[in-house]
Amino acid sequence: ANLENGTFKKLDVVVVGGGLVGSLEALFLAKRGHRVRLYEYREDIRNTPQARGRSINLALSIRGRTALREVGLEDHMINNHGIPMKGRNIHRIDGSTYIIPYDSRTKQCIYSVGRNYLNGLLLQESEKYENVERFFNHKLIASNLRKGFLSFQKTDTKEIVEVNADLIIGADGAFSAVRKEIMKQPLFDYNQKYIEHGYLELCIPPDSNGGFQMPPNYLHIWPRGEFMMIALPNQDCSWTVTLFMPFTHFKSLDNEDKLLKFFEKYFPDSIPLIGKQKLIADYFAGSASPLIAIKCRPYNVEDKALIIGDAAHAVVPFYGQGMNAGFEDCTILNQLFQKHHDDLAKILKEFSDTRWEDTFAISDLAMYNYIEMRDLVTRPSYLLRKAIDDVIFWLMPKVWIPLYNSVTFSTIPYTQCIKNRQWQDKVLNRSLLFLGTVTSAVGAFYVYKKFVGLS
Ligand SMILES: Cc1cc2nc3c(=O)[nH]c(=O)nc-3n(C[C@H](O)[C@H](O)[C@H](O)COP(=O)(O)OP(=O)(O)OC[C@H]3O[C@@H](n4cnc5c(N)ncnc54)[C@H](O)[C@@H]3O)c2cc1C
Ligand SMILES: Cc1cnn(-c2ccc(OCc3ccccc3)c(C(=O)O)c2)c1-c1ccc(Cl)c(F)c1
């Protein structure tokens, strides 16, 4: 029942975008008993081979797991597919490596999951609900959100399909057509930023026995200041390697010799793992993709339309939180449906009024990480801070949660994670200042004693 008089009003919802967030949101709405029509531009991902140019695997952490748990898919993803990464395995330039566990006490970890596998699983799960229909090869080309009107073009036949809905959910990614419509309304704030770095995926194949060539249960990171490279493990014992570099650098590596020299200088240990020929082939087969951060608000048009996921808050991938934040949107939206008994005017307004602070916060955290990893990772003070963080966390796990751990291993709102970090900075700076004052006072006293001959 979702109405005052105890009856149930079945809503007619159209979800635009059958990616990770759209297909998850369809499940949440279906479970509430509403009619869901999911329109996706691409063909059914369950029938297509690996889509090029998209991060082939992703780090799933607690915020995303919590959403999957609500629709009964967390256990499957964690126990039958995801590969646990219990720490970061940092690769030094000399090829040596060291491991920093995420949480040696509670053994918390993040999971490497296949993007297409997860997307296919979410779509497959929606087949269990007869109130969900899926339409692939449908591109949203026009809409009148206030009237609940949408116009799709079928990408194969070019035929136009017109649709009406009580509610339109835009989960159509960073370049969202639904957001473009919402942008036309007054009082809509919008900001986008392309960063100078692009990314390119490479692959470390399984070894000759079909096993992993590197320790599998870690997020492998090659931090090199201006550039960084990461590797996440796949089910088939291969690794998806993502190289992040300024586009100027990608352009400068325009022949095989320059490419090999660059890898020999910065990522020497990765060359035998990837294989010289494969490195050259994969690098020149693709081109670097851009990275964009989008901040906007509000996310709704009255009680008619709402954007979620990357359509609402695309973030740079330097915290591994984009999908997790989009999945968290679904959890929060479901809580609001529950709280307001499917009263859309209240739900959409409260979602817009409250969610933007946390999505802006994770956007800032990811951008800060991008800058931090580029500039600070080589500075001893940065690594010292990380070491101090880990020691105090070990001593007082309830009070002192390192920023990365609170973002990745808790559902503390992103804004609160930042406030905790600011408090920690204050405490650290004050105690370091205090420590500094005490040591210099003690030092001065000894110098005074020694030279003034008080002894
Ligand atoms: C290099 C890289 C690494 C990443 N790593 C991680 C990670 O480790 N962990 C993590 O949590 N996140 C990660 N992310 C972020 C994550 O990929 C995104 O946050 C997530 O895919 C957002 O899902 P979405 O469904 O909102 O958007 P998308 O995945 O972009 O899906 C949008 C869907 O809408 C469809 N669509 C678009 N326009 C239309 C239209 N007009 N009509 C109909 N359909 C349309 C598209 O075809 C697509 O299927 C990474 C991103 C990148 C780029
Ligand atoms: C996909 C994913 C999931 N989590 N993280 C992540 C991010 C930041 C981290 O710390 C800051 C830091 C690590 C290493 C060097 C300096 C700072 C850590 C960590 O501490 O393990 C983990 C990533 C990721 C995404 C892109 C790049 Cl380039 C990357 F390196 C990691």
Side-chain angles (χ1 to χ4, degrees):
N2 60 4
L3 297 179
E4 292 309 313
N5 60 8
T7 58
F8 177 74
K9 181 178 181 297
K10 184 171 188 170
L11 296 171
D12 201 333
V13 189
V14 166
V15 176
V16 181
L20 293 170
V21 174
S23 48
L24 175 65
E25 182 52 28
L27 290 179
F28 271 97
L29 292 164
K31 283 177 76 70
R32 299 195 66 80
H34 297 304
R35 180 196 177 201
V36 183
R37 283 172 290 170
L38 180 66
Y39 288 88
E40 165 54 41
Y41 167 55
R42 293 175 303 176
E43 41 179 348
D44 189 340
I45 204 153
R46 292 170 287 178
N47 311 334
T48 45
Q50 185 53 44
R52 289 292 310 164
R54 301 175 65 79
S55 63
I56 302 180
N57 54 15
L58 308 129
L60 172 70
S61 48
I62 192 67
R63 295 170 202 268
R65 290 176 54 180
T66 304
L68 291 174
R69 189 180 314 143
E70 299 264 320
V71 296
L73 293 177
E74 182 196 26
D75 282 347
H76 176 90
M77 282 308 295
I78 296 306
N79 301 319
N80 297 39
H81 175 78
I83 299 174
M85 299 185 282
K86 51 194 180 189
R88 55 296 261 191
N89 189 325
I90 308 284
H91 292 244
R92 294 192 188 93
I93 202 148
D94 65 5
S96 64
T97 64
Y98 62 97
I99 282 165
I100 311 176
Y102 282 126
D103 185 335
S104 44
R105 184 198 312 274
T106 62
K107 309 273 181 260
Q108 300 187 90
C109 54
I110 53 181
Y111 288 81
S112 176
V113 300
R115 170 193 288 279
N116 290 343
Y117 180 90
L118 176 51
N119 205 161
L121 183 81
L122 290 163
L123 290 167
Q124 195 55 36
E125 184 71 7
S126 73
E127 304 273 2
K128 294 179 181 171
Y129 298 91
E130 85 289 338
N131 49 332
V132 180
E133 295 162 274
R134 291 150 297 276
F135 302 91
F136 297 99
N137 305 306
H138 279 66
K139 179 180 183 180
L140 178 65
I141 53 168
S143 61
N144 181 327
L145 301 179
R146 275 185 176 72
K147 292 194 167 50
F149 168 75
L150 296 164
S151 176
F152 292 93
Q153 179 167 44
K154 295 184 72 172
T155 54
D156 36 15
T157 64
K158 304 301 174 206
E159 179 197 345
I160 300 295
V161 175
E162 298 191 342
V163 172
N164 282 294
D166 299 324
L167 172 63
I168 297 164
I169 301 270
D172 45 345
F175 305 98
S176 163
V178 177
R179 188 185 65 237
K180 286 190 184 76
E181 270 307 300
I182 293 185
M183 279 180 81
K184 295 174 184 168
Q185 69 175 358
L187 300 177
F188 180 85
D189 290 337
Y190 177 78
N191 178 288
Q192 74 176 42
K193 170 139 184 67
Y194 280 100
I195 61 172
E196 61 172 19
H197 279 60
Y199 72 94
L200 182 77
E201 273 134 11
L202 300 165
C203 174
I204 293 178
D207 65 17
S208 49
N209 307 322
F212 282 106
Q213 293 195 61
M214 297 192 296
N217 293 111
Y218 298 97
L219 168 59
H220 289 256
I221 303 178
W222 289 258
R224 298 289 184 270
E226 191 68 8
F227 350 104
M228 36 252 181
M229 194 160 82
I230 60 172
L232 276 70
N234 291 309
Q235 271 294 329
D236 63 359
C237 298
S238 69
W239 296 83
T240 297
V241 179
T242 308
L243 173 62
F244 296 94
M245 257 184 350
F247 277 102
T248 50
H249 263 94
F250 277 111
K251 281 193 189 64
S252 70
L253 302 179
D254 55 6
N255 69 44
E256 298 183 7
D257 192 43
K258 285 181 190 171
L259 175 67
L260 286 178
K261 283 211 172 14
F262 175 77
F263 265 75
E264 277 152 14
K265 181 175 180 187
Y266 291 106
F267 311 109
D269 63 328
S270 73
I271 297 175
L273 298 171
I274 299 172
K276 265 189 189 163
Q277 291 320 314
K278 232 171 115 46
L279 169 60
I280 291 163
D282 287 0
Y283 182 89
F284 291 109
S287 61
S289 301
L291 291 167
I292 191 169
I294 287 169
K295 282 180 172 179
C296 68
R297 70 187 185 107
Y299 298 131
N300 70 304
V301 169
E302 295 166 3
D303 59 347
K304 299 303 288 182
L306 182 75
I307 48 176
I308 58 175
D310 274 19
H313 45 73
V315 298
V316 291
F318 299 95
Y319 232 111
Q321 281 296 313
M323 164 191 64
N324 287 286
F327 280 12
E328 192 174 60
D329 287 348
C330 298
T331 303
I332 289 168
L333 188 58
N334 192 51
Q335 287 164 351
L336 290 173
F337 266 83
Q338 193 61 30
K339 175 181 175 183
H340 294 300
H341 310 293
D342 297 16
D343 175 338
L344 292 177
K346 291 180 183 166
I347 293 164
L348 303 197
K349 181 174 181 336
E350 185 166 337
F351 187 87
S352 280
D353 290 349
T354 55
R355 183 64 177 154
W356 69 273
E357 285 184 286
D358 287 318
T359 58
F360 281 34
I362 188 55
S363 190
D364 295 342
L365 281 169
M367 195 63 87
Y368 174 72
N369 236 19
Y370 163 60
I371 292 154
E372 177 179 64
M373 297 176 83
R374 219 178 37 180
D375 305 344
L376 298 181
V377 69
T378 43
R379 267 200 218 140
S381 59
Y382 169 75
L383 294 172
L384 174 70
R385 169 63 203 257
K386 222 169 168 63
I388 293 173
D389 251 352
D390 291 350
V391 166
I392 304 177
F393 177 48
W394 198 88
L395 293 171
M396 303 184 279
K398 289 278 173 283
V399 171
W400 190 282
I401 309 179
L403 175 62
Y404 182 79
N405 293 55
S406 62
V407 167
T408 310
F409 299 115
S410 89
T411 53
I412 298 169
Y414 290 125
T415 47
Q416 191 56 45
C417 295
I418 291 182
K419 287 188 189 112
N420 291 349
R421 171 65 179 224
Q422 285 161 345
W423 173 78
Q424 291 172 356
D425 286 346
K426 213 183 290 169
V427 165
L428 261 193
N429 294 339
R430 285 213 183 120
S431 46
L432 290 178
L433 182 71
F434 172 71
L435 213 65
T437 323
V438 165
T439 35
S440 48
V442 166
F445 177 68
Y446 276 108
V447 164
Y448 183 76
K449 240 177 78 167
K450 186 169 172 67
F451 288 98
V452 178
L454 274 181
S455 49

